[in-house]
């Protein structure tokens, strides 16, 4: 499967996140948090916190991080790495492409980041 249309650029303001249910290669829904950082860059990570199993898209965006609303763990949007406890495991990061006004996410590949 190739990158999927996630939203249009105007659908997210800087500092906002939204939950998407994109389709994995096997056809199952995959919860993704699409985040526009405060500089306006788009990032896609798993929407499920690796610690508390809640939606990260409901958390607060600060710079290039998102904070889990339940226990306060923060995750780097570029790498998926947790930056604060109680989370210790990273979340998957997916490649994002912006073509014109369309934001595309490829959930079949994880982004090439150092873990």
């Amino acid at each position: 499967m190739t990158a999927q249309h996630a939203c249009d650029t105007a659908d997210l303001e800087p500092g906002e996140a939204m939950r998407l249910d994109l389709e994995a290669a096997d056809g199952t829904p995959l919860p993704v948090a699409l985040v526009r950082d405060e500089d306006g860059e788009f990032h896609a990570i798993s929407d499920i916190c690796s610690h508390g199993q809640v939606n990260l898209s409901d958390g607060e965006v600060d710079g290039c991080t998102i904070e889990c609303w339940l226990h306060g763990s923060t995750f780097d949007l570029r790498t998926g790495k947790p930056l604060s406890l109680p989370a210790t495991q990273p979340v998957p990061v997916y490649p994002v492409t912006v073509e014109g006004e369309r934001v595309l996410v490829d959930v079949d590949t994880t982004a090439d980041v150092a873990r």
Side-chain angles (χ1 to χ4, degrees), residues 67-78:
E67 180 180 33
C68 177
W69 62 269
L70 186 59
H71 295 117
S73 292
T74 55
F75 294 87
D76 186 308
L77 294 169
R78 298 162 294 203

Side-chain angles (χ1 to χ4, degrees), residues 102-114:
R102 295 169 41 96
V103 180
L104 307 170
V105 177
D106 182 356
V107 295
D108 296 327
T109 342
T110 52
D112 185 19
V113 294

